[in-house]
Amino acid sequence: MRRLRGLWAKGPIKGVALLATFFLVVGACSSGDDDSGGITSSVAEERGFTQDQIDAALTTYMPSGEIDPYIMFASGGQGGQVIVIGVPSMRILKVIGVFTPEPWQGWGYGAKGTEEVLAQGQVNGRDVLWADTHHPALSETAGDYDGQYLFINDKANARIAVIDLRDFETKQIIKNPVAIVDHGGTKVTPNTEWVIEGGQYATPHGWEYAPISSYESDYKGMVTFWKFDREAGRIDESSSFAMELPPYWQDLCDAGKLVSEGWVFCGSFNTELATGGIEDGNPPFEAGASARDNDYLHVINLDKAAEVASAGNTFDVNGFPMISLQTSIDEGLLYFVPEPKSPHGSDVAPGGDYIVVSGKLDPHVTIYSFEKMMTAIDTENWTLDQFGVPVLDFDSVMEAQIEVGLGPLHTEFDDQGYAYTSLFLDSAVARWSLGPPYNDAWELIGTVPVHYNIGHLSTAEGDTVSPDGDFLVAMNKWSIDRFFHPGPLLPQNFQLVDISGPGDDMSVLYDMPIGMGEPHYGQIIKADKLSPWDFYPGVGFDPHTMSIDPNAPVAGNERIERNGDQVEIWSTAIRSHFTPEIIEIQAGDHVVWHITNIEQSVDSTHGFTIPGYNINLSLEPGETATIEFEADMDGVFPFYCTEFCSALHLEMMGYFLVKP
Ligand code: CUK
Ligand code: CUA
């Protein structure tokens, strides 16, 4: 049961002051040991609710008009998008188009800026208009979320996207030049100087062909460090670099912080170098790649690696600088630490002093001390792996191991000195206490069942230097019996868990079916750290350049200009009217059409479609967009506004006439 220790007592944030009062009153009645003293409600009585269910409902309930105190950015999985969710109400606020066209936002349906960003994600010139998005990462300042940017990776094609949280639009997609698949990304360094993209399945550099029989010599692992230019709001490819790694399968990465700032920790598996081929009598991948008792946590000196890269001590892969494995060994950029049995997860504690790793086939979490790692490096307390990389002595760097349950995966933290680890096989979340300086002892505190087969979990600001606690979202892969079955593909289940209480007092508050993609991970930020625009700052604002376009149409300069078969149109949109309304051209003309929504008030969005031409724009107040196409289809095309913007929205249209 909620102890009112946390969120609602922490003081009002925009829009929830009233609510806090409301909860304090209710909470006063419903907390304590006497469960009979709860509020009375005929609905609860009729439906037979227990006091705990009533408490759960009241904790997640946001009265109409109240704003959630937390916002979660969850991956949209195969949808290639980002889902924006209010916490604790778990209401979906938006699905941001990222790697995948998104019609409502006019993302990839004619607006040139959006198509240019999507085209940045091409692989060897081929459009790849979906993604396997895994790990969103909020930008940080001094190790805390700052609410400015969001990054997310596409595992399937090794791509990274940058989303600007002023307008929640994707500004950049980068295709990794050295790898075709990634996984250990995105995570950012504490001041967002670097966006980390770790590899996964080894391939030859630049995914060029080499036979599987030459796996050991020709296949490579990698991690890429993308330099983020906060001023420009873009990754600066020219200052970025990659590191060549052994053909182990690198997994999740996390950035060091505070005492470990400047270091990066990436898990791995398949240090067996299994190459599959059960058809030839070899062990299948799942057996071959989990035969050994240990794989290697990669401990990377990023600060030093950046110096080596900027000194030009690199080789080129597809024009991109890469530090060779030998250079990493010679320069002391890379160390390994044994990590038990099919490791997954690599999570740095709030103080940066400990790194937590799970073993999918080991019931423990293993906690390493950063300080001990540094001592082992200084005293050369290591052996060498087969590629000559120093492997630090396990016993000398391991701080603690805690048996938490079966199938531990990912860990986040709270403000009570507790850590939370997802247990895939047990379908549970384990709460365990960190040892000093966080708590007295390294020990399991308790578990809470979730439904079912949890992957990631996310606590409020739970991977920063100052986690909030309060709430945890369990991202469950299976839902089995939790919802109506909409056919054999079932929704996944986000479950909101109350972690505000002490000891083993944790409870599931709410089930949220996720009807899209397989969202792997999400991050939860305090809503008041975000300051998105209500509308674009100025009429004629181009979200692609994030500036006012001097060529944008504004009220009074609407016109049509013809130059041979080139037709350029400047249009404006305002409730409930497009100017000009009638546009007549010749079939075969090349059309460049600029449109500005000249409104400057909240929520006055207009859409714009030309039927048959696969064009749909979303023009938020102030926004300008340009479409460019060959008018190769003659006929009469009523163009119209696709947002119900006003009483005369249906009349907000015009005729686009293409003369044969
Ligand atoms: S991986 Cu999905 S549950 Cu991509 Cu973060 Cu562990
Ligand atoms: Cu503008 Cu409907």
Side-chain angles (χ1 to χ4, degrees):
M1 185 184 303
R2 232 180 143 67
R3 300 299 177 199
L4 297 170
R5 174 199 59 76
L7 175 66
W8 309 113
K10 276 180 188 166
I13 74 147
K14 186 170 73 177
V16 295
L18 247 182
L19 183 74
T21 319
F22 170 78
F23 271 105
L24 287 168
V25 172
V26 172
C29 304
S30 62
S31 62
D33 298 321
D34 181 12
D35 273 0
S36 65
I39 55 163
T40 55
S41 152
S42 57
V43 177
E45 218 164 278
E46 235 170 78
R47 298 187 64 186
F49 286 165
T50 64
Q51 189 61 48
D52 282 350
Q53 287 173 324
I54 295 169
D55 287 347
L58 289 176
T59 307
T60 59
Y61 177 65
M62 298 302 293
S64 179
E66 303 288 354
I67 292 169
D68 282 293
Y70 288 107
I71 300 296
M72 178 172 189
F73 293 89
S75 132
Q78 294 91 334
Q81 301 150 329
V82 166
I83 312 167
V84 185
I85 301 164
V87 178
S89 74
M90 307 309 283
R91 295 175 295 188
I92 292 183
L93 303 171
K94 185 179 254 186
V95 176
I96 305 173
V98 185
F99 297 101
T100 308
E102 204 291 319
W104 169 49
Q105 291 149 62
W107 183 250
Y109 292 92
K112 272 179 85 174
T114 71
E115 304 220 314
E116 278 170 36
V117 175
L118 284 165
Q120 292 167 358
Q122 289 176 344
V123 179
N124 294 350
R126 181 194 304 259
D127 280 333
V128 179
L129 296 177
W130 81 285
D132 185 18
T133 46
H134 274 233
H135 307 112
L138 287 154
S139 59
E140 296 179 8
T141 298
D144 247 326
Y145 298 152
D146 55 35
Q148 294 184 1
Y149 295 95
L150 183 77
F151 308 90
I152 190 163
N153 73 309
D154 164 23
K155 171 174 169 170
N157 307 286
R159 297 181 296 178
I160 299 285
V162 181
I163 297 161
D164 193 317
L165 295 179
R166 283 173 291 186
D167 63 353
F168 284 50
E169 278 200 11
T170 307
K171 301 300 172 187
Q172 184 181 28
I173 293 176
I174 290 204
K175 169 72 200 93
N176 191 302
V178 308
I180 188 69
V181 170
D182 72 19
H183 192 218
T186 52
K187 284 276 182 170
V188 299
T189 51
N191 287 297
T192 323
E193 306 95 332
W194 300 99
V195 181
I196 303 165
E197 182 188 17
Q200 182 122 88
Y201 308 121
T203 64
H205 288 315
W207 63 98
E208 278 179 14
Y209 175 78
I212 197 83
S213 56
S214 66
Y215 185 88
E216 214 176 303
S217 56
D218 291 348
Y219 285 51
K220 310 287 179 185
M222 75 89 186
V223 59
T224 301
F225 297 105
W226 295 106
K227 184 83 183 154
F228 185 59
D229 180 344
R230 197 188 284 262
E231 212 44 49
R234 299 284 192 280
I235 283 169
D236 175 7
E237 291 175 74
S238 68
S239 304
S240 305
F241 67 98
M243 286 173 74
E244 178 188 63
L245 297 171
Y248 309 146
W249 292 350
Q250 285 78 36
D251 204 32
L252 278 297
C253 297
D254 201 2
K257 48 192 158 215
L258 299 174
V259 293
S260 56
E261 186 164 353
W263 291 74
V264 169
F265 310 91
C266 301
S268 72
F269 57 111
N270 197 18
T271 52
E272 295 85 353
L273 307 182
T275 53
I278 191 172
E279 50 284 359
D280 298 323
N282 298 319
F285 274 114
E286 71 273 23
S290 45
R292 294 185 58 202
D293 284 338
N294 291 294
D295 292 287
Y296 297 132
L297 179 70
H298 295 35
V299 179
I300 297 165
N301 188 338
L302 170 57
D303 281 351
K304 208 165 166 191
E307 284 170 24
V308 168
S310 74
N313 195 356
T314 54
F315 66 100
D316 259 27
V317 177
N318 287 331
F320 193 73
M322 195 168 206
I323 299 174
S324 75
L325 181 58
Q326 195 55 52
T327 301
S328 288
I329 295 168
D330 296 344
E331 299 287 332
L333 311 181
L334 175 68
Y335 302 92
F336 289 156
V337 174
E339 45 178 4
K341 213 62 196 165
S342 288
H344 198 53
S346 165
D347 297 289
V348 178
D353 38 7
Y354 297 107
I355 296 95
V356 181
V357 161
S358 297
K360 300 182 297 261
L361 303 179
D362 175 0
H364 300 86
V365 286
T366 300
I367 300 110
Y368 302 95
S369 153
F370 177 73
E371 196 186 329
K372 289 179 180 175
M373 285 181 187
M374 293 302 106
T375 304
I377 290 171
D378 288 344
T379 58
E380 303 194 358
N381 186 5
W382 63 53
T383 54
L384 298 181
D385 88 327
Q386 59 185 304
F387 295 94
V389 180
V391 182
L392 307 184
D393 176 63
F394 177 80
D395 292 321
S396 69
V397 298
M398 193 266 286
E399 182 72 24
Q401 285 189 304
I402 303 172
E403 185 167 345
V404 289
L406 298 182
L409 299 181
H410 299 285
T411 300
E412 292 216 344
F413 306 90
D414 74 3
D415 59 343
Q416 303 186 68
Y418 292 141
Y420 301 82
T421 300
S422 51
L423 304 174
F424 180 83
L425 294 174
D426 273 351
S427 287
V429 170
R431 168 188 265 178
W432 49 273
S433 77
L434 293 142
Y438 300 89
N439 260 319
D440 296 336
W442 301 96
E443 63 185 2
L444 178 68
I445 302 294
T447 57
V448 57
V450 292
H451 313 89
Y452 301 90
N453 300 85
I454 177 175
H456 276 270
L457 50 71
S458 179
T459 55
E461 310 222 337
D463 85 327
T464 69
V465 294
S466 61
D468 277 23
D470 294 323
F471 295 109
L472 176 151
V473 174
M475 288 166 245
N476 304 305
K477 306 292 186 189
W478 293 40
S479 63
I480 306 181
D481 58 359
R482 296 288 112 168
F483 307 112
F484 170 78
H485 286 187
L489 177 63
L490 306 194
Q492 307 210 335
N493 189 13
F494 278 12
Q495 282 181 312
L496 182 71
V497 181
D498 183 348
I499 55 166
S500 65
D504 64 358
D505 182 1
M506 295 175 284
S507 56
V508 171
L509 298 170
Y510 189 72
D511 281 30
M512 177 200 194
I514 294 286
M516 65 194 93
E518 182 196 335
H520 281 255
Y521 177 54
Q523 291 193 332
I524 303 173
I525 182 176
K526 271 201 201 76
D528 63 3
K529 283 186 173 176
L530 296 162
S531 25
W533 287 331
D534 293 329
F535 43 81
Y536 283 106
V539 171
F541 198 90
D542 179 355
H544 191 42
T545 60
M546 291 299 257
S547 60
I548 289 183
D549 176 357
N551 187 41
V554 292
N557 79 354
E558 299 94 339
R559 62 197 187 279
I560 304 169
E561 285 178 8
R562 171 176 287 281
N563 184 0
D565 59 1
Q566 307 285 306
V567 177
E568 193 162 359
I569 304 158
W570 286 263
S571 291
T572 57
I574 190 170
R575 275 161 293 173
S576 312
H577 187 72
F578 287 113
T579 307
E581 289 187 315
I582 307 295
I583 293 165
E584 181 156 347
I585 64 161
Q586 204 66 49
D589 282 346
H590 182 80
V591 179
V592 177
W593 194 333
H594 315 280
I595 312 175
T596 304
N597 177 350
I598 58 174
E599 309 221 23
Q600 287 280 269
S601 53
V602 178
D603 212 0
S604 52
T605 294
H606 298 288
F608 175 83
T609 182
I610 303 176
Y613 275 92
N614 197 31
I615 284 166
N616 186 45
L617 310 182
S618 173
L619 298 163
E620 281 92 75
E623 179 172 357
T624 195
T626 295
I627 51 180
E628 188 168 349
F629 60 99
E630 306 298 328
D632 49 11
M633 184 167 35
D634 59 60
V636 172
F637 304 91
F639 63 85
Y640 69 93
C641 169
T642 51
E643 282 275 332
F644 208 116
C645 55
S646 55
L648 297 177
H649 150 79
L650 293 177
E651 288 78 0
M652 189 169 175
M653 63 84 66
Y655 278 104
F656 179 54
L657 305 146
V658 184
K659 238 191 287 182

